[in-house]
Each structure stands twice: as C-alpha cells, then as structure tokens.
Amino acid sequence: MKKTILLTALVLNGLTSFAQTNDEKNIKLFYKKALTEAKCYTWLEYLSNDIGARLSGSKGAEQAVEYAKSQLESLGLDKVYLQEVMVPHWVRGEKETAYILNGKVKTTVPICALGGSVATPKTGLTAEIIEVQGIKELNELGADKVKGKIVFYNRPMNPENIETFTSYGACVDQRYAGAKEAAKLGAVGTIVRSMNLRLDDFPHTGAQSYGDLPKAQYIPTAAISTNGAELLSKSLKANPALKFYFKQSCETLPDALSYNVIGELTGTVTPENIMVVGGHLDSWDLADGSHDDGAGVVQSMEVIRILKNLNYKPKNTIRVVLFMNEENGGKGGAKYEEVSKQNKENHIFALESDSGGFSPRGFSIEADDVNLKKIQGYKDLFEPYLVHSFTIGHAGSDINHLTSQAIVKAGLKPDSQRYFDYHHAANDTFDAINKRELELGAATMTTLMHLLDQNGIETKKAN
C-alpha cells in the first residue's frame, strides 16, 4: 500500500513538473494566433503591391500613412492618430546610366544614385577613376592623386562575420561619407560598391551626407552593383588610365509634410508608463521595401492586433508607432521624441523591427546589466520557438531617439544571412517574403512585449 501511495505521489509530481506555466500557455497562444490568424502578410501584400515604394515626401508614403491609419482604426484600439513631421523630399529622376570607357570600348554597368546626391551635368560626367578600399586610403593618397577624378570605393562587406550587420557597419562609412571626403580632395564624383555580400547585378542605394560642405562642393555619388564593382576593379588593374562615365538627374525638393502613424491600448494599472513597438513606414524608391521595412511595420501592427484580439488588458500603455523618414533623415523618430518630451511622457520599453522579415533568432538589447539579465532570464520560454540570442547591441534607429530616464530598448534579430541580398535594392519586393517567417517574428515580438508588460523593468532605486 505504501509503495502504491509513493508511486502515485511520484507520478503526480512528475505530471506537475511538466505542467505549463501561465507564461508558457500565453506564449503558445501568441504563436498560434500569429501562425493561423495573422493579418501581417495581407497588410504587407497591400503595402508592397498596391502602394509600392514609399520614400519620404512621395505619393507612396502619403498612401501608406492613410492605409496604416485605416487598418489600425479597424482593430478597435483605444486611440489611433497621426503625428505631423516635416521630412526631406529627394527624387531620383530618370534611371541612371553608366559605363566603363576603355579606349573606344564602352561596357555598361548597373548603378543607382545614393540618397541625397546631386545630379551629374545633364550630359553626364566622364573622368579618370581611382580605386580605394576606404576613406583612410583616400586620405593617404591626398589631393594630388584625387583631384579631377572619380573615386571608386571598393571595400567589400567582410564574409567572415556570421552576423552580417557587423560586416555592414564596418564598410558603410564609404557610402555615407565617401562623397564628402572625396570632394574635400577635389574629386568630381564617387562610385561606391554596393553593401551586399553576394555578387549580383543589383545596385543598392542608401543615405549619404555632404556634412557641412558648402553646396558648391557637392559632387554626384552613386552605388555600383557588386558584379559591376568586380568588373571595374579588374578593368582598372588592366588599364589604370581608363575612364568612367555616369549620368543621374536626382534633386532635392523642399521639405514635405508627412506623418508618424500611432495607435495604442491604454494601460489599466500604470497608463503613464508607455511601451512602444514599431518600424519605419518609409522605404527606398527602387522597390517596395518589403523587408526594409514593410515587414517591421506589419509585424508591429500584428503585435497590437494579437493583444487586442485576445482582449488583453495591458498594465502599461502599449503604443504601436509607424515612423516616417528613417531611411534618409530620421525625422520621424526625432519628432516622436520631441513631442514625447513636450508631453512629459515616460517610456519604459521600446521594441523595433527593422532587420527584415526572416526567421526570428532573438533580440539586440540596449539595457543595463540588471535588465539585460532579466530579459535573458526569459530565454527558456523562447527556446521552444528556436529563439535564443539575447545580446547587447543596437536596438533600432527610430527608437534610438528616445531618452526617457529609465528605458529598455530591444530590436528584433531575424536571421541575417539573406538580408543584404535585398537591402535598399530593386529586388526588395513582396515575393522575397516568407509568410511563416514573417508571422513567427510578430509572435516573438508579442511575447517579449507581453513579458515586460507583465513583469516590468527594473529601475534604480534612489539612495
């Protein structure tokens, strides 16, 4: 009899140890909702295929604001509204042309103007071209070897890094500041190898800045595809005296009025504490920006849709913010923070998705040691969903502006291996999106938002 009682107790204890916690049950429900009822893929299809490119100041950006607002309103949130923001308005103009001029032989190569660049002369620009591996090498050459030439920045992304954003960060300076630095030495233009790990024929655009140079010193700058860069480099080795021709007709128009799109569920315990989830609504003009950052926009909308659909009553106010103008100015994030300060708002957590719609792997976190360990303490809850990476790192460009006294920030970390195949290029289109991966990302974001809403963040106690 005693043996039977003991065996029964062991069995019951065993069953208890395998019983799901409330957190586990909720997380399973979030993933179920995302994988069976999500709207994010449908939202993204419309945003990408019916609206298309959404560069700040464009008709597409205006349509995206209207569409996102209408979809958030359809969810029955406590508040949905627009926040005015003035944004840069740069237009590409006619499709760019370029070729390598080797004697009388012309070899066409794919290029695209970098955002914010000035145009070439109407007939185009022809000059000798000099190859460098980066700004440091450029400056070592000096004005004597650079003046009157086109500078060709050809430092590739390092393929050795498993985290591809590390490779991007190590060479994107030549895209952003390359024209400015070359202009200082008398260059007449710059051509920059695309930020892309694979060899293909898609030039990748992106922001560049002339800094504090006077406008008279602005020079045209463009990206060249990785295949084009390889060919140009090989051709220069065979004939250093060859010339390069390119033509682009871009221009910067007066700033335009646009909007951040905001929706929220009001907190039931501490509504004055705000938790943000968001992505950026604008995209570059070469494609519809499905990965950058249509995916982040619809995933953020999905987070608040799931919570609302489950009739979840958050302790803190949860706010979805679709930022405008991340790509070429960051005005949306800056305006959101400006208004937040004016209203004396207290943000305790911000989560951004701006790394593509691929399978989620974890989060990049900006937090002190205490809150980092707290989030890492949730790791076991995420591991059944193959989410495992919780590391210190940059959370996101838009939420980077937030400066509340006690705030934790996180960025969704999808698998990054394919991201730069599409980043800022003409192939960043809806057909590159995997529905299931997109939905898994939304569920992962919902999970972290829920855990931190329930458990709060740790704040330093006054002495």
Side-chain angles (χ1 to χ4, degrees), residues 223-299:
I224 186 171
S225 72
T226 47
N227 274 339
E230 293 289 299
L231 176 62
L232 178 55
S233 181
K234 183 179 179 180
S235 301
L236 277 168
K237 286 179 174 64
N239 179 15
L242 63 75
K243 293 185 177 181
F244 191 84
Y245 167 89
F246 73 112
K247 179 185 176 183
Q248 56 192 43
S249 56
C250 42
E251 63 177 320
T252 299
L253 303 175
D255 286 358
L257 175 64
S258 192
Y259 304 89
N260 294 327
V261 184
I262 302 171
E264 66 180 52
L265 293 174
T266 305
T268 57
V269 179
T270 50
E272 69 278 7
N273 291 338
I274 299 170
M275 305 176 73
V276 162
V277 58
H280 64 84
L281 197 51
D282 60 309
S283 75
W284 281 107
D285 58 322
L286 296 179
D288 52 66
S290 289
H291 277 295
D292 186 19
D293 184 32
V297 165
V298 299
Q299 285 173 329

Side-chain angles (χ1 to χ4, degrees), residues 112 114 133-134 152-158 164-178 191-200 202-207 222-226 229 418-425 427:
C112 65
L114 293 177
Q133 289 296 299
F152 168 38
Y153 290 100
N154 192 33
R155 184 163 82 255
M157 290 177 64
N158 187 348
T164 61
F165 282 89
T166 302
S167 300
Y168 176 72
C171 64
V172 74
D173 64 324
Q174 62 190 345
R175 187 196 76 199
Y176 186 75
I191 297 295
V192 183
R193 184 188 183 100
S194 287
M195 303 293 108
N196 181 8
L197 279 158
R198 73 177 182 181
L199 294 175
D200 63 25
F202 294 103
H204 293 228
T205 192
I224 186 171
S225 72
T226 47
R418 291 170 288 150
Y419 180 67
F420 289 99
D421 295 355
Y422 306 102
H423 182 248
H424 298 177
N427 60 340

